[in-house]
Structures are given as structure tokens and as C-alpha cells.
Amino acid sequence: MAFPEQSQDTPVDELRAELAGELIAPGDPGYDEARQVFFKGIDRRPAAIARVAGADDVARVVGRARESRLEVAVRSGGHSRAGYGTSDGGLVIDLSELKSLDIDADGRTAWVGTGLTAGEYTIATGKQALATGLGDTGSVGIGGITLAGGIGFLTRKNGLTIDDLLAAEVVTADGDVVTASEESEPDLFWAIRGGESNFGVATRLRLRLHQVSEIVGGMLMLPATAEVITGFLEAAEAAPEELSTIANVMLAPPMPFIPEDAHGKPIMIGLMTYVGPADEAEGVIAPFRALAEPIADMVRPMRYPELYEGPEQEARYASGNNFFADSLDSAGPEAILEWLANSTSMMKAVQLRVLGGALERVPNDATAFAHRDRRLFVNIAAMYMDGAEKAAGDAWVAGLGDALGQDGSGGYVGFLGNEDEATIRAAYPGRTWDRLRDLKRRYDPDNLFRLNHNIPPAEG
Ligand SMILES: Cc1cc2nc3c(=O)[nH]c(=O)nc-3n(C[C@H](O)[C@H](O)[C@H](O)COP(=O)(O)OP(=O)(O)OC[C@H]3O[C@@H](n4cnc5c(N)ncnc54)[C@H](O)[C@@H]3O)c2cc1C
């Protein structure tokens, strides 16, 4: 589809004068740091980065971008694998200063600035023994994960992050600041729950909080054989929904807590989160422990926010491929082990998340995330230090997807990279895509917000 051409006039001086927040342009101190995103191999040079101070600032940037026909990048935590949080020559709306957090402990809700990371939010709400389910990585931005859907540690118990989204303050492509909720702008509210940045910039989110204090959780590391992988998935399916698991099958890295004789061998790291009655935890985890002699067993009673404590990850380049399925077919575990052995990437993993529970009790058409009837999420990733390895990484993740029976019925936008329209379309199955395109025409007919997994406005 044709996008409007970019104008040569960059409104840097005008914006600097009218923003309450900081504007960082080429030549300014800190520019090189400010243009960085999580995946360090992404090296783009925006015309300016606006560290906005609130929704009014966002509206000003949106207005200037419209006038000058500049590309707009929206960044919360900067973890987009495609690098959608930065731009070559465009304006970056950097939300990282929006760290407000207003907790209503009695009402179990919070208004949250979208500059908070998942870890910052969880640690802060954890002080009041409250939590909203987010993903497995503390540095991910609460803005990006929520608008993608949010599959994480509490998914089977409480659903996706969007199932706890009660309202959002959104700056639309017209520069209007609106509240989207079931009562106000319900179509917009539907669309942003999975539609990412296509419909506007979320500056604050109202999230439901759940009472979560002591949990039984942490890492269970098992030797990965086909039987263990199959057994793990069966145990995760059979477990009560108070248990959510995220299992990573990989070759053991040379980490100090992994015995040396396991280094380089296939392992399965189960990240376990059990939020049910404490006296039942032992019995719930027992079937996993019984699969094989654990290489490391760190599953223990802990405070929920401890799941987010630990070293920050760093990644240079990554190839990824993900899909939803009903199950892993019987040849799947062997295929994973063979393909892991054949990859030359520095680090590669297949992540398996058994879904169900609260996630599947929400109707598929209630939000723009529409994979609720699928039981398993498969995410394949390869990471490397040299961009020259990208082609091999891309081929590896695609080939393993094929070997696992990936059938094109769709993946999760949160883990997609820079994909073709067919892949993005498949991420919004059934009638979701057409409804999103109709709403895109209503809320962003000129496709100002196009630096994303783009939903083109419906024609006509
Ligand atoms: C190491 C790692 C672990 C992850 N683990 C999980 C996981 O366990 N569960 C899960 O569900 N996902 C997970 N993800 C995927 C992650 O949720 C998405 O990539 C998410 O979009 C990242 O959000 P961000 O704000 O950090 O990134 P950004 O790059 O800032 O934003 C990502 C996208 O969302 C848009 N966006 C961000 N904030 C806003 C906003 N406030 N308003 C409008 N649009 C916005 C951006 O424009 C961009 O298109 C993981 C990603 C990584 C890299």
C-alpha cells in the first residue's frame, strides 16, 4: 500500500519549544543512547526522540508528524524484535518517562504510566501483595506487552494481561486524548487489546490487580529427552490452572549453576508459577520433578516479584518464529532435539507454553487477540552476535516451525518481527482482521501509525 511521502522539513525546533518533555536530536548529548532499543543490532537514526511528559506531549508530536508527514515510532520498553520503537529519519515517541503508578489497593486496580517496565510495575505492586500478569521478562515495557496481549506467569490463572485491562488513555492519530474502555470508545478498546500501536498511543493503562503474595515458583531444569518434553506438556495440561508453565528447550549454556557435565547438552528449563493453596504446591509440582532427575531444582516458596529478579538479558540479533497449536505432534520433541543440535547460533531455544484456564474462558471475539481456543504456544528463537548470521537464523526458525507442523494458522504479534502481510493477517484469525481493518479506517485512515505489525485501513 502507498504511504504518504516524508517531507524534508523536520520540525525539531518547533517541537523542542512546545514539549514539556525533552527532545533529543542528532548532535544532542545522549542521542546515541536515546536511539538504542533492546536488540542492539538495530541501528537507526531518528530525526528526533521525544521523551514525552504525558498525553499532551504525545498529541503535539502526533500533530507535527502529521504536518510534516514524518514516520512515527512509538516506544515503551523498546523490545520489539522488528525495532518498531525506533526509526530512520522519523519521530520517536519515547514513553519511558511515564512512570506514574497510582494503586487503589482496596479497589484492586492501578493507573499505570506506559513507561514502566513489567519488572518495575510488578515490584511496586508486589509491595502490597498485588499483581497483574505480565510476561517472563522484567525489562519488557508494559505498553508494548499489554497492547500485544500479554502471555505470562499468571496466564492460566488470570488470563492475558489484556484480560486485566480495564481502560486506557489513548492519543489517537487526530491528536485527541480519549479514554478507551467497555463504556467509552468500546471499539477502540476492543482493537487495542491485541492491535498494538495501530490505533493510537497508550499513555496510561488502568489494570486490574490480583492478590498474589507468596507463590511457589522458579526454575526446574531437566535433561531434555523426547519423553521428558512430552511428559512435561502432559503434566502442564493436567495441572490445575493455578499453575502456569513456560518451558524452554535448549542446549545448556555454560552457566555457573549448571553442572559442567551438562553444558552443551539438551535441557528443558521449566519456569513454574503456582499461585494456589501452599499446602497443595508440592503435589502439583511433583509430576514434573518425577519426569527425570532434575539438573537443578530452584522451585520454592517465594514472593511473586522474585520471578522478575535476576540478570538483565542482552541480545544483539534475533530470528524468531511463533505459532499457536492444539498440541505438539508425536514427532515434535525429537524434531526439536535434532534441530537444536544442528543450529550454529550462539543461543537458540524452543519455548513451549501450555495455555487454557482463564485465557480460554474469554470468548475469542471479545478482544483483538483471538487465539484463545488454542492449547499450546510455540516460540522458536535463535540469537547471534553477527548480523551476517541472520539468514541462517531465519532459515533455522522457519525450518523447525515446518518440522513441528506449523500450518500458517497464526502466531502472536508480540513475538513477530518484520513480517509480510500474510503473517500479520494470520495473527488476527477469523473475522478479527476485517474488523481491525474497519476500525483502522475509522481511527487512523491515513495510516499514521504504520511502523508496527500493520493493519491497513479498509478501503472504500
Ligand atoms: C526478551 C523478551 C521476552 C519477552 N517475553 C514475553 C512474554 O513472556 N510474554 C509476552 O506476551 N510477550 C513477551 N515478549 C514480547 C513483548 O511483549 C513484545 O515484543 C512487546 O511489544 C514489547 O513491548 P515494549 O514496550 O518493550 O517494546 P517496544 O519496542 O517499545 O514496543 C513494541 C510495539 O508496541 C508498540 N507500543 C509500545 N508501547 C506502546 C504504547 N504505549 N502505545 C501504543 N503502542 C505501543 C510499539 O510501537 C511497537 O510496535 C518478549 C519480548 C522479548 C524481547
Side-chain angles (χ1 to χ4, degrees):
M1 88 166 297
F3 294 128
E5 279 175 29
Q6 295 201 3
S7 120
Q8 296 305 308
D9 302 323
T10 307
V12 169
D13 295 335
E14 295 91 326
L15 261 179
R16 206 191 294 275
E18 64 197 14
L19 289 187
E22 190 186 5
L23 191 86
I24 307 169
D28 288 344
Y31 174 75
D32 280 332
E33 202 185 317
R35 66 191 180 86
Q36 283 292 338
V37 288
F38 175 76
F39 288 102
K40 299 290 183 290
I42 295 166
D43 182 24
R44 296 185 193 142
R45 302 189 66 82
I49 299 132
R51 289 237 167 99
V52 293
D56 291 345
D57 270 2
V58 173
R60 289 181 191 109
V61 182
V62 164
R64 290 290 177 187
R66 289 192 75 88
E67 273 166 36
S68 52
R69 301 196 300 276
L70 282 174
E71 181 172 83
V72 185
V74 182
R75 185 198 306 168
S76 175
H79 282 59
S80 154
R81 192 162 56 79
Y84 290 143
T86 187
S87 153
D88 261 330
L91 295 176
V92 176
I93 299 177
D94 177 348
L95 301 159
S96 61
E97 295 293 314
L98 305 187
K99 294 203 188 281
S100 63
L101 177 58
D102 189 1
I103 300 174
D104 172 3
D106 295 335
R108 302 238 178 110
T109 62
W111 272 106
V112 186
T114 46
L116 283 173
T117 65
E120 288 167 343
Y121 173 75
T122 304
I123 288 165
T125 57
K127 291 190 176 135
Q128 302 192 44
L130 297 169
T132 307
L134 295 158
D136 64 5
T137 300
S139 56
V140 165
I142 207 161
I145 190 169
T146 303
L147 270 48
I151 311 172
F153 292 134
L154 299 177
T155 292
R156 279 163 56 89
K157 176 72 166 68
N158 296 335
L160 299 168
T161 307
I162 46 170
D163 299 332
D164 283 328
L165 182 64
L166 302 171
E169 178 183 76
V170 180
V171 183
T172 65
D174 288 337
D176 294 337
V177 182
V178 302
T179 300
S181 69
E182 292 290 3
E183 295 77 37
S184 156
E185 302 279 358
D187 287 334
L188 178 62
F189 188 53
W190 177 86
I192 61 170
R193 286 177 290 164
E196 297 189 308
S197 64
N198 274 285
F199 300 91
V201 183
T203 42
R204 290 192 309 143
L205 306 173
R206 184 163 177 252
L207 291 170
R208 184 185 292 118
L209 286 159
H210 301 265
Q211 188 139 39
V212 182
S213 48
E214 282 277 308
I215 63 156
V216 173
M219 195 190 279
L220 179 67
M221 191 185 299
L222 301 167
T225 61
E227 295 70 38
V228 167
I229 297 170
T230 304
F232 192 103
L233 296 178
E234 285 171 0
E237 271 277 359
E241 60 191 52
E242 285 77 15
L243 181 75
S244 294
T245 60
I246 300 177
N248 290 288
V249 187
M250 58 169 72
L251 302 183
M255 306 281 275
F257 62 94
I258 304 177
E260 245 175 70
D261 58 355
H263 292 178
K265 307 238 174 79
I267 56 167
M268 184 160 199
I269 300 182
L271 296 173
M272 323 295 281
T273 312
Y274 177 69
V275 285
D279 57 351
E280 290 174 22
E282 193 67 37
V284 170
I285 306 293
F288 298 88
R289 289 183 164 132
L291 290 169
E293 179 68 32
I295 298 169
D297 184 348
M298 303 177 196
V299 181
R300 60 180 169 81
M302 60 166 71
R303 291 176 306 102
Y304 177 69
E306 286 184 62
L307 288 174
Y308 288 93
E309 290 167 7
E312 294 249 317
Q313 296 188 37
E314 190 177 286
R316 288 199 76 81
Y317 299 88
S319 298
N321 179 20
N322 79 79
F323 60 98
F324 292 93
D326 294 325
S327 62
L328 202 58
D329 63 36
S330 56
E334 285 292 359
I336 292 173
L337 296 171
E338 273 168 37
W339 279 72
L340 283 174
N342 293 337
S343 159
T344 52
S345 295
M346 172 186 77
M347 163 98 172
K348 54 265 168 184
V350 178
Q351 190 172 78
L352 303 166
R353 305 188 189 205
V354 169
L355 306 174
L359 159 71
E360 75 181 341
R361 281 197 290 276
V362 176
N364 238 347
D365 61 1
T367 63
F369 177 101
H371 304 278
R372 295 174 184 275
D373 49 343
R374 310 310 295 271
R375 302 293 302 182
L376 181 68
F377 176 61
V378 181
N379 185 31
I380 307 168
M383 288 180 199
Y384 27 91
M385 299 300 280
D386 184 347
E389 292 181 53
K390 180 173 172 2
D394 287 352
W396 185 82
V397 298
L400 179 47
D402 286 345
L404 294 179
Q406 182 173 10
D407 62 4
S409 64
Y412 173 46
V413 282
F415 283 112
L416 290 183
N418 185 2
E419 314 285 349
D420 57 19
E421 187 175 310
T423 306
I424 298 167
R425 198 221 170 293
Y428 296 108
R431 297 174 55 205
T432 313
W433 178 251
D434 292 338
R435 186 170 175 199
L436 283 169
R437 288 198 61 187
D438 285 343
L439 292 173
K440 180 75 173 177
R441 180 173 56 188
R442 187 161 129 204
Y443 284 100
D444 185 15
D446 300 327
N447 211 354
L448 178 75
F449 299 120
R450 61 182 178 272
L451 194 60
N452 46 32
H453 300 117
N454 195 235
I455 296 160
E459 282 153 22

